[in-house]
Structure formats: C-alpha cells, structure tokens
Amino acid sequence: MAVNIEFLQLSGMEKIFLDSDCKDKKEIDTLTALKGERVSYQIIYTMSGGYFKHPVKVKAEHDNRIKTELREVLNVPAQLPARAEDNDGFYERTAPGLYPDILQPIKDNEIYANEYCHSLYVTCSIPKKMAAGIYPVKIIFSYNEATVVKILNIKVLDCVLPKQEITYTQWFHTDCIADYYGFEVFSNEHWQMIEKFIATAVKTGINMLLTPIFTPPLDTEIGYERTTVQLVDVYFKNNTYTFGFEKLKKWIKICKKYGIEKFEIAHLFTQWGTGKTPKIVVETEKGKEKMFGWHTDALGAEYKTFLCTFLPELIRFLTSEGIYDNTYFHVSDEPEYKKDYNIYKAEYELVSSIIPAEKIMDAMSDYRFCKEGLSKKPVVVTSAAEDFINHGIKDIWVYYCCIPTDKFYSNRLLAMPLGRTRMMGMQMYKYNSDGFLHWAYNFYNNRLSKGAINPFMVTDAGEDFPAGDSFSVYPGENGPLESLRSEAFFMGLQDNSACRLLERYIGRDETIKLIEYDGEITFTKYPYSNDGIGEIRERINR
C-alpha cells in the first residue's frame, strides 16, 4: 500500500491531540520577532496508507546565526485533567486521556508518522545582533522517494527585546532529582543532574532559585519526611553551633554560571501554620541527629537559639558571596489568618528581628496580614490579587497552584489552552507585578510526598492535583525535558518584556490601551482564544 504523509504548518500555540481534526486549521507562513527573542511554531504530520509507522528524515535550513531546535511533541496520560466544577469553557478538553506536552529532541534527524496526528515543534532563537529583515526557515522532510519542504518566514523587527524584568521562581525540588534518578544526595552524579536542571530552568525564564539550606518543609505530611537535601552542614559541640557552607558555595557557583540572579532561602518554618521546624540534621558528639523537625516547637527556646545563631552567620556568608542583596527569605507558606495569625506573627517577628522585613516574602491570600504589618512583600494567589491591589498594595507578586482553575484564571494545566498559560505575562504587565511564583518546577511526588511518582505516567500527583500542576519539566534520561506549558509561559514572559519596550515609545497608559483593544484585561478577563491572545502580541509588534 502506498504511503502518503501530509504536513501542516501551525502556530506553536495549538495543542494537537492524537485524534485532532486538522482539516479546518489555518496554516501559517510568517512569524514576527524582536531581536533576542525565541519564537516557536509546529508542523503537524499524519500518514495515510501502510500498516506500520513510517520513518521520515528531517533537516532544517536557515541563516546559520539563528539557533533552531527540532523537538517531537509527546503525549502523557492525565487521569485528572480538570475537576468538573472548574470547566469554565476555556479548556481544550477535560476527559481523562492522552494530552500533548513533552518536548523531546528528535534523534538521528528522524521522526515517525502513523495514522494519528503528531507534531514537530520548531523553536528559533534570534540573535540580538541580527539585522532586521525576513529570514526563511526551511524544514525538509524526506520519506521513500518523496521530499516535502515547509517554509516559515521570520520577520525580524529592528529592535531588541529587553532583558526580562519579572522575577520568576518555580520551586526547585532537589530531593526529587535524587529520588527519581536513584542518586546519592550531593554525589557527583546528583550535582551534575542538578546543574542540568538549573540550566533548563534558566532557559525557561526562571531567574530566582529556591535554595535548600535545609530540607524544605514543603508538601510533606505531618510526621513524614522527604529525602534530606541540606546544603548547610551544622555542628553542635560544647553547646555551640557552627556551620559549614561548602555545599552552599558550590550551589551558588552553579547558579551564577547559568544566570540565576536571585535566591530564595527555603522556609524557616513548616507550611500552613503548623508551627514546627524544618528537618535539620546536626553533627553532634554522638554522631548525626535530626535535632529539629516535626518533633520541635517552632517557637521553643531551642529553635530560637538556633536561628539567632545561624541567620547572622548565613547573612555573613551570603554577603561574602556577593548575593545577599539579591537573596530573600521565607517564614511559612500560606498561613490562614483566622487559624494561624498568632503563630505566624511570632515567627515573622523572630525572623524580621534579624532579617529586614523587605527581604521576607511568603505566599498569602489574606490582605489582613499586610494590614497588620506582617508582610511587606506578599506573594498573592491570582484570585485574591485584586483585593490586595484595591487596598493599595502595589507591585505585588502573584502565584497560582492547583487553584484557581476556574473563572478563566490563567494556569498551566495540561487541559488548558496554551494561550491561557501565556496570558499571565500581559496580566502581570497590566497590574505592574514584580514577580511570579509557582510551587513546582519538578515535584515528582504524590500529594504531601507520601511516595514518589513516575511523571511520565502520573501527571496529577496521584489524582490529587489537576494534571500539569506539580511539574513543568520531565526527568529525561540525560536531563530535563521541557514542555509545551513551559514554552507557553516563557512566551508570556517575552510578551511582558515587549510591553515594557513599547512603553518606552508610547508610555504605559497607551500601551495598556493597545493590549486592551478588544476589552479590559484583568486576571479573569482577556481574549478567550489562542488567536486573540496572539493578536495582542502582533499589535505590540506592529
């Protein structure tokens, strides 16, 4: 039976499922880009004729100053794509099934076609010193005796995308790297893989990194513990604490190598107002002991003494490394005002007696903490952000996690259109947000870390979080694999930078008018389509 393979060139904002019907999709032939920008598109391919998958050779031809990546889009299972009550109409689909997400570099310049829809994801990085003009990118497919050429013209504008001003952190789970790959913590193999995950983090726009001075007390069931990843060695002899910073020094060196600009010190108290301490392993005269942890009162004399000894030493070390000015600290994640006010207040006052309050940042969703003077740098869930803004809190950070996922809030779930993920960049511009936090760059555990998962098979933390919430890169054999979602969010960061550049030409008020050409933009209002969101960026470019 004769084999015929059809190719269709589409926007990188489309999610193509195995059973997608691409007959009515509009093929593209041009993209616009600023100098220094990274743009992506995809080529869909499907085969008719033949019983087995068919090999296709692929190569790219373009100006050699443009860096091009060719990656296959692979599908992953999602048992909990979305909760039924969250479906607001701007989801791709919500039924359990296979969802496109992984970006896998192609091997040996070869892909395989069959009767289902597959996608080749093409990413082009434009140098900052590229001359303005039109640059064709040719992707050449060869199979049997046939050759198919798809051409996309990149129109490079005569201006440079400015450096990203948004501070962006996704919590970096060092223990999950060791657990998944089976490495001894801080062995040579572990450090090498940590370095690869940091390099990829920076590529996706992350410029602030969660730093585990002690094992972060995050997403852990009370009484349970996660694998120890403690960058600071602690010694207790003759009733005196001393500290070793050698591993932390190595961590900082790697971060600087790849462009991490800011550091966030892992939380000094447990999450959600539980009033306990992180697990801290201490070398004593009797050997190694878990001196602090779930068994320790966060406000007891023992831990207060420890913090009052440790934090000044840490500050001196960070200062000697030249990063203290760009380092921030966490007290406790998402305290509840009614339940946790008193304990959070005591914890905050203890830390802020040593560390300037401006350097303390915590996720919180109740404005009253700010009103009571317990936060000068709140990180606010997007569904509560407008309340903070209406109370006069300016330049707030925002975050989302497994919430909010309804009422058209932006998020990065597998079931959501990529435009919904990308939109956060323009929303942060509208509200003049300083930074964005997401809790999980690579959380490869189930909920509350009661066990590890295989992220290639389990994308919803064991049917506890909507699929895609708990990580945005996959642990590939030789290092992390990016996702459609990490690329879409990076596009949003570039949109934010493009808005800031346009502001230099026409002012902030006019820039906001331009991005709101089709209606007001809020955290729940914006064009509810990939094309509409893409059109905003095209207007910025024009």
Side-chain angles (χ1 to χ4, degrees):
M1 184 181 295
V3 169
N4 181 56
I5 303 176
E6 296 183 4
F7 300 88
L8 187 68
Q9 193 162 264
L10 299 176
S11 161
M13 297 300 294
E14 297 272 1
K15 279 191 176 179
I16 302 300
F17 292 80
L18 291 170
D19 60 351
S20 289
D21 183 357
C22 299
K23 293 178 182 178
D24 297 327
K25 293 190 180 296
K26 184 179 180 181
E27 191 161 28
I28 65 169
D29 58 15
T30 304
L31 288 176
T32 58
L34 308 189
K35 300 174 186 181
E37 187 165 13
R38 188 165 86 222
V39 294
S40 298
Y41 64 101
Q42 56 191 325
I43 301 172
I44 312 308
Y45 53 96
T46 185
M47 181 182 79
S48 58
Y51 292 103
F52 306 104
K53 64 182 182 182
H54 201 82
V56 180
K57 286 292 184 182
V58 183
K59 67 176 181 178
E61 292 184 356
H62 49 77
D63 187 296
N64 60 16
R65 291 169 294 177
I66 297 176
K67 180 183 176 183
T68 301
E69 292 181 89
L70 302 180
R71 294 176 286 183
E72 295 177 90
V73 180
L74 305 184
N75 293 272
V76 292
Q79 295 190 82
L80 180 62
R83 303 189 189 282
E85 62 270 23
D86 289 345
N87 189 357
D88 50 27
F90 195 30
Y91 277 77
E92 292 281 1
R93 54 180 68 176
T94 56
L98 293 176
Y99 283 71
D101 196 42
I102 300 173
L103 296 177
Q104 168 74 59
I106 65 172
K107 298 178 181 179
D108 302 320
N109 298 316
E110 195 167 61
I111 57 176
Y112 290 86
N114 63 16
E115 61 189 294
Y116 298 108
C117 287
H118 294 276
S119 173
L120 179 70
Y121 197 82
V122 185
T123 302
C124 301
S125 298
I126 311 301
K128 289 184 178 180
K129 294 184 178 180
M130 200 87 173
I134 296 176
Y135 296 88
V137 175
K138 296 181 181 180
I139 307 297
I140 303 168
F141 301 92
S142 303
Y143 66 98
N144 295 346
E145 301 299 320
T147 298
V148 176
V149 180
K150 305 300 290 186
I151 300 175
L152 183 115
N153 293 308
I154 299 179
K155 182 179 180 181
V156 178
L157 306 185
D158 194 18
C159 50
V160 178
L161 188 73
K163 182 180 178 181
Q164 177 182 315
E165 293 184 34
I166 290 288
T167 302
Y168 172 34
T169 179
Q170 268 189 285
W171 285 347
F172 191 97
H173 297 278
T174 313
D175 61 322
C176 290
I177 298 173
D179 293 344
Y180 180 83
Y181 290 99
F183 296 146
E184 179 184 347
V185 171
F186 298 135
S187 62
N188 288 336
E189 295 84 358
H190 190 210
W191 276 115
Q192 289 168 7
M193 193 58 73
I194 287 172
E195 186 165 346
K196 290 179 180 180
F197 271 74
I198 290 175
T200 299
V202 172
K203 183 184 174 190
T204 62
I206 292 169
N207 53 14
M208 172 187 262
L209 207 67
L210 183 69
T211 298
I213 52 166
F214 308 125
T215 304
L218 298 170
D219 298 280
T220 309
E221 175 75 14
I222 295 175
Y224 285 69
E225 64 178 64
R226 293 173 62 167
T227 298
T228 301
V229 282
Q230 182 173 316
L231 287 173
V232 176
D233 295 317
V234 183
Y235 307 93
F236 184 70
K237 292 183 181 180
N238 300 321
N239 290 319
T240 302
Y241 289 105
T242 57
F243 308 97
F245 295 107
E246 291 79 12
K247 289 193 287 290
L248 180 55
K249 186 178 184 72
K250 183 173 183 176
W251 175 275
I252 293 168
K253 182 178 180 181
I254 293 171
C255 289
K256 287 181 176 179
K257 175 181 176 181
Y258 290 99
I260 293 293
E261 298 173 342
K262 298 181 181 181
F263 297 80
E264 53 177 325
I265 300 301
H267 299 67
L268 298 171
F269 301 89
T270 47
Q271 270 181 310
W272 310 310
T274 51
K276 300 299 181 180
T277 75
K279 175 177 61 174
I280 302 176
V281 177
V282 179
E283 186 73 46
T284 71
E285 293 170 333
K286 297 179 181 179
K288 288 187 177 181
E289 297 182 17
K290 295 175 188 174
M291 187 171 286
F292 301 100
W294 288 117
H295 60 286
T296 314
D297 181 359
L299 299 174
E302 189 176 16
Y303 193 56
K304 286 183 178 180
T305 298
F306 174 81
L307 282 185
C308 289
T309 305
F310 169 66
L311 289 177
E313 288 294 315
L314 177 63
I315 290 169
R316 278 191 282 272
F317 174 76
L318 298 174
T319 302
S320 70
E321 291 293 307
I323 67 167
Y324 177 66
D325 288 345
N326 290 318
T327 299
Y328 297 84
F329 297 80
H330 292 296
V331 175
S332 179
D333 185 57
E334 270 296 355
E336 294 183 27
Y337 185 82
K338 289 184 178 180
K339 180 173 69 73
D340 307 321
Y341 175 81
N342 289 332
I343 191 166
Y344 184 83
K345 181 176 186 290
E347 292 171 347
Y348 181 86
E349 288 177 346
L350 172 59
V351 176
S352 62
S353 70
I354 305 169
I355 294 166
E358 293 77 8
K359 297 180 74 64
I360 298 172
M361 53 184 285
D362 279 318
M364 55 180 54
S365 302
D366 196 315
Y367 162 73
R368 287 175 290 183
F369 283 104
C370 293
K371 183 180 179 180
E372 299 290 339
L374 298 182
S375 178
K376 292 190 175 182
K377 202 175 187 68
V379 185
V380 183
V381 67
T382 50
S383 54
E386 291 192 11
D387 182 45
F388 280 69
I389 293 166
N390 291 338
H391 278 98
I393 305 298
K394 298 180 179 179
D395 304 333
I396 63 170
W397 279 51
V398 290
Y399 83 92
Y400 52 61
C401 52
C402 54
I403 59 169
T405 54
D406 61 351
K407 299 178 182 177
F408 303 102
Y409 282 105
S410 178
N411 212 306
R412 62 181 73 203
L413 305 184
L414 283 171
M416 288 180 171
L418 293 174
R420 187 165 179 168
T421 300
R422 178 179 179 174
M423 191 63 209
M424 181 54 66
M426 292 183 199
Q427 290 170 330
M428 286 192 291
Y429 178 78
K430 163 70 181 291
Y431 289 103
N432 207 26
S433 178
D434 278 347
F436 184 86
L437 182 151
H438 184 258
W439 73 280
Y441 172 65
N442 62 322
F443 181 74
Y444 304 141
N445 290 337
N446 57 20
R447 181 173 166 269
L448 297 178
S449 299
K450 293 180 180 179
I453 55 100
N454 177 351
F456 293 97
M457 297 301 296
V458 179
T459 55
D460 49 22
E463 293 185 80
D464 265 315
F465 300 132
D469 178 44
S470 56
F471 56 85
S472 60
V473 297
Y474 295 79
E477 182 179 354
N478 299 310
L481 301 173
E482 296 163 67
S483 65
L484 288 174
R485 295 170 297 118
S486 66
E487 276 291 314
F489 193 86
F490 183 77
M491 290 181 193
L493 294 173
Q494 293 187 136
D495 293 342
N496 187 281
S497 297
C499 287
R500 292 170 188 262
L501 178 61
L502 183 61
E503 182 180 322
R504 299 178 194 174
Y505 292 98
I506 66 174
R508 177 171 170 80
D509 290 346
E510 289 301 314
T511 300
I512 290 176
K513 283 182 183 179
L514 184 141
I515 67 175
E516 293 188 327
Y517 79 97
D518 196 32
E520 182 186 16
I521 288 175
T522 70
F523 285 113
T524 57
K525 296 178 183 178
Y526 53 91
Y528 303 134
S529 72
N530 289 332
D531 288 344
I533 294 165
E535 174 59 22
I536 296 176
R537 179 55 199 277
E538 284 302 310
R539 286 174 174 264
I540 293 169
N541 286 354
R542 288 198 292 270

